[in-house]
Amino acid sequence: MNTVYSAEHQLHHGKHELIDGRLEPCVEKPERAERILKEIRHAKLGEVIAPQDFGLEPLTRVHNQAYLGFLQTAYRDWQAAHKLGDALPYVWPTSTSRHTEPRAIEAKLGRYAFDAGTPITPGSWQAACSSANVALTGAQRVTQGAHAAFALCRPPGHHASRAHYGGYCFLNNASIAAQALLDQGASSVAILDVDYHHGNGTQAIFYHRPEVLFVSIHADPAQEYPYFSGYSDETGEGAGEGATLNLPLPQGTLWDDYAEALEVGLERIHVFAPGALIVSLGVDTFKHDPIARFRLESTNFTTLGAHIATLKLPTLFVMEGGYAVEALGGNVVNVLRGFLER
Ligand code: OKP
Ligand code: ZN
């Protein structure tokens, strides 16, 4: 299986995020992608290829223009307002606020961000575009007949919606890839999100769409970030009713319970019979992850990959979370190896 990777991810390196009441060093850091790349090479999983540049068009299929325009100049606008350091929001509109487009960068950050954990740095836009191109290049390989590909995306994407960023995500790489597959002729696509956190952005993007099935296994949002979505009664709306499946699990979940939810999710995908599968691959379900509380072992990731392979679908893996850097690369390789070796 080929891995798509670009060193441009390094242009995004936030200093601090607001976490549990303190500004702490960002856990979503360049070292993550470098560790994964190193293990992929070491495991001789296949060729590592550079992304192609697909331009803005495929991004506009998923995100709105005003949002993309904001992201493009956000750091420059922040700097022009004589701010020091990374751009972080500190004021948000509420249901009683006026909803005209704000002018000040401080207000725009609150308008477009849904959390204070996602700093914008000088190179964030370029890195986010590169990450989307990594996913699009992976999607193209699948369209051209590859059975599987791994898009080593960074920054991640599954929390970003049509016009909101947050959860370390700016552009929704998995959704952009899914839309590209549809635009290139796939009649339907399933997205399986195994990141510890609910993929609220991906869910929102396809909530009304019957041709994209979104299945997510994640920590119960009653206890965990992103809190405001990911409950099991969210099943899609309108034409998309029934094309969203949330499988929340409690903090502390071990492999056996996880595997049960996985079987339910895989069965739904099997019945849906999509033209292709996209896996939003977060390995922050690992027992030593510093910001998450499931308890999967490294060996469980091999089994996870093998189970996904039983679907026998053209599959694009898109990297999302995973913050235990020592074990991160190994855990990712285990998923991909498990998938290939089944
Ligand atoms: C991004 B991805 C924990 C704070 C969590 C944001 C987490 C974003 C996760 N106390 N802050 O889904 O891995
Ligand atoms: Zn996560």
Side-chain angles (χ1 to χ4, degrees):
M1 155 169 13
N2 284 179
T3 293
V4 192
Y5 165 85
S6 163
E8 285 189 36
H9 77 83
Q10 294 164 1
L11 294 168
H12 175 65
H13 48 96
K15 285 185 187 62
H16 297 104
E17 64 174 301
L18 188 56
I19 180 162
D20 300 338
R22 282 199 301 222
L23 280 173
E24 302 268 7
C26 290
V27 296
E28 201 297 287
K29 51 191 176 189
E31 182 187 357
R32 295 181 55 246
E34 296 307 311
R35 293 267 192 159
I36 297 167
L37 180 67
K38 190 174 160 225
E39 291 302 321
I40 294 273
R41 289 213 153 108
H42 185 78
K44 301 202 188 322
L45 221 65
E47 234 183 284
V48 176
I49 63 174
Q52 217 177 286
D53 185 2
F54 292 87
L56 282 176
E57 212 277 329
L59 312 185
T60 64
R61 300 282 294 132
V62 162
H63 297 285
N64 89 22
Q65 285 285 1
Y67 173 67
L68 294 172
F70 155 78
L71 276 184
Q72 228 166 118
T73 64
Y75 191 80
R76 250 180 286 151
D77 296 346
W78 176 253
Q79 216 173 20
H82 307 291
K83 309 293 184 186
L84 301 168
D86 300 343
L88 270 184
Y90 54 84
V91 59
W92 278 268
T94 70
S95 58
T96 59
S97 303
R98 46 188 303 144
H99 279 80
T100 45
E101 282 302 311
R103 250 178 60 188
I105 182 62
E106 294 89 333
K108 285 186 185 180
L109 290 170
R111 157 72 181 82
Y112 290 113
F114 71 83
D115 77 359
T118 313
I120 298 181
T121 74
S124 296
W125 168 249
Q126 202 183 325
C129 286
S130 161
S131 193
N133 280 320
V134 165
L136 285 163
T137 302
Q140 178 175 261
R141 291 204 48 83
V142 169
T143 303
Q144 291 170 347
H147 175 58
F150 174 46
L152 209 179
C153 293
R154 181 184 173 272
H158 73 150
H159 294 302
S161 62
R162 201 169 160 74
H164 286 282
Y165 72 98
Y168 319 147
C169 304
F170 302 99
L171 300 173
N172 194 311
N173 308 310
S175 297
I176 291 166
Q179 186 61 53
L181 290 175
L182 294 171
D183 290 344
Q184 284 152 29
S187 55
S188 62
V189 175
I191 301 174
L192 173 65
D193 189 325
V194 297
D195 188 279
Y196 173 79
H197 304 94
H198 179 242
N200 57 313
T202 311
Q203 171 171 305
I205 287 165
F206 296 115
Y207 208 58
H208 294 83
R209 304 261 301 271
E211 72 275 35
V212 179
L213 172 67
F214 177 67
V215 173
S216 180
I217 307 166
H218 51 266
D220 186 349
Q223 306 179 301
E224 254 303 354
Y225 184 96
Y227 301 109
F228 298 102
S229 70
Y231 295 83
S232 57
D233 63 357
E234 296 160 17
T235 56
E237 236 167 65
E241 179 62 58
T244 292
L245 176 63
N246 283 315
L247 299 163
L249 296 168
Q251 290 178 340
T253 290
L254 296 158
W255 172 253
D256 283 359
D257 290 336
Y258 190 94
E260 263 181 48
L262 181 64
E263 284 323 304
V264 173
L266 293 178
E267 178 57 23
R268 176 70 71 90
I269 295 169
H270 175 72
V271 170
F272 185 72
L277 173 68
I278 293 180
V279 179
S280 263
L281 178 58
V283 293
D284 42 7
T285 47
F286 180 52
K287 63 176 178 182
H288 294 314
D289 196 278
I291 66 163
R293 298 197 190 171
F294 281 178
R295 287 157 62 190
L296 268 52
E297 310 274 343
S298 289
T299 51
N300 297 152
F301 289 106
T302 312
T303 317
L304 171 60
H307 280 261
I308 293 170
T310 62
L311 290 171
K312 296 195 164 34
L313 289 167
T315 302
L316 172 63
F317 290 90
V318 174
M319 195 64 216
E320 302 284 359
Y323 308 95
V325 287
E326 298 291 334
L328 176 58
N331 289 341
V332 170
V333 164
N334 282 358
V335 174
L336 302 178
R337 265 212 182 122
F339 178 91
L340 290 171
E341 281 167 12
R342 198 199 170 265

